Amino acid sequence: MRVLVTGGAGYIGSHTVRELRRLGHDITIVDRFITGHRAALLADCVEADIGDEESIARVCREGGIEGAIHFAAFCAAGESVIDPGKYFRNNVQGTIGLMNGLTAAGVKHVVLSSSSAVYGTQEEVPIGEDAPKNPESPYGESKLMCERLLPWYETAGGPNWVALRYFNASGASSDASLGDDARPATRALPVALEVALGKRPEFSLFGDDYPTVDGTCIRDYVHVEDLAHAHVLALDYLAGGGASDVLNVGSGRGFSNRELIDAVKRLTGVDFRVVIHPRRAGDPVVTQADIAKIRRVLGWAPEHDLDAMVRTAWEWRRRNPDGYPE
Ligand SMILES: NC(=O)c1ccc[n+]([C@@H]2O[C@H](COP(=O)([O-])OP(=O)(O)OC[C@H]3O[C@@H](n4cnc5c(N)ncnc54)[C@H](O)[C@@H]3O)[C@@H](O)[C@H]2O)c1
């Protein structure tokens, strides 16, 4: 299939481009290199904003694009609380421009990067797709708003769609050529690896008095290569006549922050300092996915465990201590 990938220079986008190429798809990337990196580009890239609907429509028409995977967005939940406008403008307004362009060009399918941030704190875990939506940040709200746009475009003759709600994307490519180079790192695993590398003096752990096994928050980590594969399956599903839907993508397992830290210490061989801070606003206590639906609908299952995520991320980080070359 000829596929447009927005945000293909970013962390998850670059791994997905690699997986699409491996499976014989033709790819055009649209990226502005705001948080992404030229060194992570694995296909032709048009440097444009996703909100520029005329450019999007032109690129799609000229390239005979049949399907799109839409990663481009800002995704630091903490920053979004301080600067909501930045997130609503780029994520929601940008997606409106993109959807206008895709619809005008007759693109048939779209897969949207959504997030477990649409759920917020839940009474019941694991979290199924029908759980109430309580986003605790403008970032989570922006993702929910993007999801809610899609059926309206489909009704008006736009693409059919799958929204994938990722839990915590982690790890790096198995050959250590691609990895997570968010600057600054905000996700727990890359931050812990920077501490292990000596780039930060200590790991700040926010809250050890939660009602969990060891008092720390619990998260569901999914390997970025498993996540990349889910996108290809979602496109195949839509191309095969599958109905538009929302699917969780996680491992279905929860690990406490302490378990993550222990895994990083064990697999890097570095015993670093961990400093406990008070709880941080907006941190859900437990996020753990119910993945029964994606197993059933796409036949997808995670293949990598937490150790594989830590090991691959560490290998990438050790080879690229300062991130991608610019
Ligand atoms: N990383 C995670 O754990 C996680 C979890 C849930 C959801 N997501 C979602 O997955 C997607 C990808 O996340 P990521 O971690 O790869 O982020 P990333 O920052 O590495 O990648 C985003 C890419 O989009 C590009 N971009 C952003 N705004 C753009 C615009 N207006 N026009 C053109 N290009 C633009 C950036 O330059 C970058 O290359 C995002 O939509 C994010 O919300 C990520």
Side-chain angles (χ1 to χ4, degrees):
M1 192 188 297
R2 284 186 290 274
V3 186
L4 185 82
V5 178
T6 76
Y11 170 44
I12 306 169
S14 58
H15 286 81
T16 303
V17 167
R18 193 168 190 259
E19 180 66 356
L20 285 163
R21 274 178 47 153
R22 189 179 73 80
L23 295 167
H25 296 280
D26 260 6
I27 301 128
T28 304
I29 293 171
V30 171
D31 204 298
R32 270 185 51 206
F33 308 106
I34 310 169
T35 53
H37 305 277
R38 286 177 203 275
L41 278 181
L42 294 178
D44 289 343
C45 179
V46 176
E47 193 165 343
D49 197 283
I50 50 159
D52 174 357
E53 57 191 72
E54 270 140 41
S55 296
I56 296 291
R58 192 184 59 251
V59 170
C60 291
R61 284 200 190 99
E62 286 173 358
I65 297 295
E66 300 157 275
I69 306 185
H70 176 31
F71 293 102
F74 293 145
C75 50
E79 182 191 52
S80 78
V81 177
I82 298 158
D83 191 356
K86 177 175 174 180
Y87 281 72
F88 292 126
R89 190 177 302 115
N90 197 47
N91 297 3
V92 183
Q93 204 169 309
T95 298
I96 292 171
L98 177 81
M99 291 305 296
N100 287 342
L102 298 182
T103 303
V107 174
K108 296 194 186 75
H109 321 293
V110 64
V111 179
L112 170 77
S113 295
S114 188
S115 168
S116 60
V118 303
Y119 295 118
T121 300
Q122 295 285 325
E123 296 271 303
E124 272 182 43
V125 283
I127 304 170
E129 286 83 353
D130 293 334
K133 312 300 174 293
N134 302 312
E136 288 170 24
S137 66
Y139 166 65
E141 188 73 50
S142 76
K143 288 285 156 180
L144 192 56
M145 291 164 91
C146 291
E147 283 187 11
R148 293 179 60 104
L149 298 172
L150 301 180
W152 298 110
Y153 278 91
E154 185 178 14
T155 303
N160 61 356
W161 52 273
V162 166
L164 295 177
R165 289 185 186 143
Y166 325 151
F167 283 64
N168 292 60
S170 300
S173 67
S174 318
D175 65 356
S177 65
L178 297 172
D180 185 354
D181 189 10
R183 298 180 192 183
T186 53
R187 294 181 270 271
L189 175 55
V191 168
L193 295 176
E194 286 188 0
V195 181
L197 259 186
K199 289 186 153 290
R200 295 181 189 231
E202 62 201 24
F203 184 91
S204 298
L205 180 56
F206 295 95
D208 67 348
D209 55 353
Y210 286 103
T212 60
V213 267
D214 59 17
T216 65
C217 290
I218 291 180
R219 297 288 174 263
D220 180 323
Y221 297 93
V222 56
H223 193 283
V224 66
E225 288 187 332
D226 287 332
L227 191 48
H229 189 58
H231 290 79
V232 185
L233 293 179
L235 265 189
D236 289 347
Y237 161 80
L238 289 171
S244 298
D245 216 335
V246 178
L247 303 170
N248 284 341
V249 201
S251 66
R253 294 199 52 196
F255 291 92
S256 74
N257 285 336
R258 277 221 188 274
E259 285 173 306
L260 177 73
I261 292 165
D262 289 347
V264 173
K265 287 184 174 180
R266 174 168 50 81
L267 292 162
T268 62
V270 183
D271 184 15
F272 50 83
R273 212 162 92 85
V274 176
V275 178
I276 311 294
H277 296 271
R279 295 180 184 195
R280 203 168 44 176
D283 270 344
V285 184
V286 180
T287 59
Q288 187 183 337
D290 180 340
I291 56 171
K293 190 172 173 191
I294 191 169
R295 281 182 190 274
R296 189 178 69 248
V297 174
L298 299 186
W300 176 91
E303 289 183 0
H304 299 79
D305 61 12
L306 185 68
D307 278 14
M309 297 181 223
V310 175
R311 239 188 252 114
T312 51
W314 177 233
E315 189 53 34
W316 186 81
R317 200 67 210 177
R318 276 200 318 166
R319 288 196 202 181
N320 302 275
D322 299 318
Y324 285 115
E326 288 308 324

